[in-house]
Amino acid sequence: MAIERTLSIIKPDATRRNLTGKINALIESGGLRIVAQRRIRMTHDIAGKFYGVHRERSFFGSLCEFMCSGPVVVQVLEGENAILRYREIMGATNPANAAPGTIRAQFAESIEANSVHGSDSPENAATEVSFFFGEVDIVG
Ligand code: ADP
Ligand code: MG
């Protein structure tokens, strides 16, 4: 199995409810290591660039508004098959479909305010990690 890195974002609905520590505990107990972490407030420009692949989707404007509505925690997670593994720890996009015990099943408020982001492929993970972090910021 390969050691991978993936980008995680703890979204504004979760930071608002002071859930950063509880989410980090699920990440760590799920076997992933938090090797970089920063709390930021996204601007519309940053949110729009980050979610650029969703530009044509009906929810794009609302999603960008939501991502700017409070602080977020951007993180790099490392571990065996980290990209797929984190998607499992997160659960399905819609919390109504998320498996019990997943972050989204436990904490998400809605399909939009679903507490966390995780990269969905090796290509996107590389792009998304370098969107927020330089190599010197990541300490494995
Ligand atoms: P995921 O975050 O599970 O990879 P997507 O990449 O499809 O999901 O969507 C990105 C984000 O856009 C979701 O995490 C969620 O915040 C929001 N989103 C997705 N689908 C919808 C929807 N139908 N209505 C509102 N927001 C949505
Ligand atoms: Mg996605």
Side-chain angles (χ1 to χ4, degrees):
M1 287 209 278
I3 300 294
E4 294 176 335
R5 285 175 177 171
T6 191
L7 186 86
S8 164
I9 305 177
I10 301 178
K11 295 184 178 182
D13 67 285
T15 61
R16 190 177 298 125
R17 288 174 289 150
N18 213 18
L19 292 171
T20 300
K22 286 195 169 119
I23 290 172
N24 280 353
L26 289 173
I27 290 168
E28 293 181 336
S29 64
L32 299 178
R33 189 171 290 272
I34 301 164
V35 294
Q37 179 167 261
R38 189 165 73 244
R39 184 173 164 107
I40 61 168
R41 183 78 183 247
M42 280 193 182
T43 61
H44 279 264
D45 186 49
I46 293 288
K49 279 189 184 127
F50 181 77
Y51 278 118
V53 292
H54 295 309
R55 196 168 293 116
E56 306 305 325
R57 310 276 286 273
S58 59
F59 57 78
F60 177 72
S62 175
L63 174 62
C64 292
E65 281 288 317
F66 163 62
M67 291 302 288
C68 296
S69 68
V72 301
V73 179
V74 290
Q75 313 174 297
V76 182
L77 310 182
E78 186 178 84
E80 283 188 355
N81 292 320
I83 298 161
L84 204 60
R85 180 76 192 110
Y86 190 45
R87 299 289 305 191
E88 290 169 358
I89 294 169
M90 287 164 54
T93 308
N94 185 344
N97 303 326
T102 60
I103 294 171
R104 283 165 165 172
Q106 289 187 60
F107 299 128
E109 293 180 324
S110 67
I111 192 169
E112 178 176 83
N114 60 4
S115 301
V116 281
H117 166 87
S119 307
D120 64 4
S121 69
E123 296 71 31
N124 288 340
T127 307
E128 291 178 1
V129 166
S130 59
F131 188 87
F132 288 109
F133 296 97
E135 202 51 44
V136 293
D137 301 317
I138 304 169
V139 183

